[in-house]
Amino acid sequence: MSVALRSHWQEIKEHSSKDRGDISITTIIIWVAGITGAIAIAGTIAIVVSKYNGKLSGI
């Protein structure tokens, strides 16, 4: 390996070690809200389908 390539590789390794594990609290809040919303929607659909299952079977 050339000196320039080695130097560049070292810079990449140093930069990548600084970037790891940086998850902001905003990102976590958005993910939790999205997952909670998806579960609520799926639950609502399941309740509606189970409630009207007999009426929907004739369609």
Side-chain angles (χ1 to χ4, degrees):
M1 263 198 210
S2 70
V3 175
L5 187 57
R6 240 183 249 166
S7 173
H8 184 65
W9 181 249
Q10 187 64 29
E11 288 177 20
I12 291 172
K13 285 182 10 182
E14 288 174 8
H15 182 69
S16 66
S17 67
K18 292 177 187 174
D19 288 343
R20 289 197 184 136
D22 271 351
I23 299 177
S24 69
I25 190 70
T26 307
T27 304
I28 294 171
I29 291 170
I30 290 170
W31 273 101
V32 169
I35 291 169
T36 304
I39 290 172
I41 291 169
T44 303
I45 291 171
I47 291 170
V48 169
V49 167
S50 67
K51 183 176 181 179
Y52 295 105
N53 195 21
K55 294 178 183 177
L56 293 174
S57 63
I59 294 176

